[in-house]
Amino acid sequence: MPPSPIIITLDGWSSCGKSTLAKALAKALGYVFVDSGAMYRAVTLYFLRNEVDLSSEKQVQKALSEIELGFVFNAGRGASDVYLNGENVEPLIRDMKVAEKVSKVAALPLVRKFAVQQQQRMGAAKGIVMDGRDIGTVVFPNAQLKIFMTADQETRVKRRFMELSASDPAITLEAVRENLARRDHMDATREESPLRQAVDARVLDNTHLNPQEQFEMALGWAKEAIR
Ligand code: CDP
């Protein structure tokens, strides 16, 4: 009998390489990779476009009822693109306009309930790697492998700056540093599902690891967990 598929959760600070690792692990194991942050970013894009007042529960509720999110595998990227009401918004959700608002949107209990329900449905069949902030603590508290990723802040700032400056030459290191620090603070201090290391998570600090090294470490843990 082939081993039963498991759920792998990857939580951690902004820009510490969670998606890179999740994508590689999913590929090696033949699992589905879900980037939960992309869901919060797509919701944020909808709220920005429709000027939703975040302080109005009524407006937030109505907007959420108008949103349908989907994921479609993009072979070129080796990961799924997120779709907002049928539109591929993957190229739009990584920019600074969305990054500046996303942590505020993601702190809203109604938004979290909306996203978490869909995430849990996606994990029902197991065989999934999901990255985010609350995946091992709230979305899948019984996951068989939980990884908490971290790296020193300046390393994360430089990595994200390199990534963003490829499409936005006007971006500054200072703007990226400020955004990361603010998001990390909001994500870790919000009332609803704050970023926390699950008690049973394995910590992966990749400050001094390259993508291949972090992949090998995590794959070893995954093989131990899959029995
Ligand atoms: O890629 P990066 O680390 O910058 O962030 P992301 O994974 O795309 O997530 C963007 C934002 O969504 C985070 O800063 C959180 O505010 C929020 N988020 C969340 O609250 N819960 C999750 N499970 C995933 C993301």
Side-chain angles (χ1 to χ4, degrees):
M1 273 238 307
S4 307
I6 65 166
I7 291 179
I8 300 177
T9 65
L10 263 174
D11 290 303
W13 303 101
S14 183
S15 313
C16 63
K18 297 185 298 290
S19 301
T20 304
L21 176 59
K23 197 165 96 175
L25 271 182
K27 188 172 175 211
L29 298 168
Y31 282 16
V32 173
F33 157 46
V34 177
D35 173 358
S36 70
M39 299 170 73
Y40 293 100
R41 287 174 179 266
V43 168
T44 302
L45 179 66
Y46 186 88
F47 282 17
L48 283 170
R49 282 176 170 175
N50 294 281
E51 296 178 8
V52 174
D53 175 0
L54 300 187
S55 65
S56 160
E57 270 199 15
K58 211 168 147 204
Q59 280 195 32
V60 169
Q61 185 73 278
K62 178 172 176 292
L64 290 172
S65 75
E66 294 159 354
I67 295 178
E68 195 146 328
L69 298 179
F71 282 101
V72 176
F73 190 71
N74 175 339
R77 253 176 15 95
S80 296
D81 290 340
V82 65
Y83 280 65
L84 171 62
N85 294 334
E87 174 192 359
N88 182 353
V89 291
E90 192 63 44
L92 305 175
I93 58 169
R94 310 281 161 197
D95 74 18
M96 283 301 265
K97 275 201 222 66
V98 172
E100 272 160 17
K101 274 275 176 301
V102 64
S103 289
K104 233 176 152 182
V105 171
L108 298 173
L110 285 173
V111 171
R112 301 211 71 80
K113 196 167 153 218
F114 170 85
V116 169
Q117 274 173 357
Q118 298 183 37
Q119 290 155 8
Q120 289 174 333
R121 270 203 300 275
M122 289 187 260
K126 303 209 173 150
I128 192 166
V129 183
M130 194 177 288
D131 82 325
R133 303 292 186 284
D134 59 339
I135 311 303
T137 51
V138 173
V139 182
F140 299 121
N142 299 320
Q144 291 83 354
L145 174 59
K146 300 179 185 179
I147 301 175
F148 189 85
M149 286 182 74
T150 180
D152 81 37
Q153 197 184 20
E154 208 46 31
T155 305
R156 295 190 281 116
V157 168
K158 285 193 188 119
R159 287 178 186 159
R160 182 51 52 98
F161 173 73
M162 298 276 284
E163 203 174 277
L164 288 175
S165 56
S167 58
D168 179 2
I171 197 109
T172 65
L173 200 62
E174 193 42 55
V176 174
R177 184 179 294 117
E178 205 268 327
N179 178 257
L180 250 59
R182 199 148 36 85
R183 271 196 300 129
D184 282 349
H185 178 73
M186 285 180 76
D187 293 345
T189 57
R190 69 183 174 218
E191 254 175 59
E192 183 88 12
S193 314
L195 169 64
R196 288 259 184 290
Q197 182 183 324
V199 282
D200 49 349
R202 306 189 80 152
V203 177
L204 199 163
D205 181 337
N206 68 8
T207 308
H208 303 292
L209 298 179
N210 65 32
Q212 181 62 24
E213 291 166 332
Q214 72 174 15
F215 166 69
E216 280 163 16
M217 181 175 277
L219 186 65
W221 294 341
K223 285 184 176 159
E224 271 173 38
I226 300 171
R227 300 209 182 270

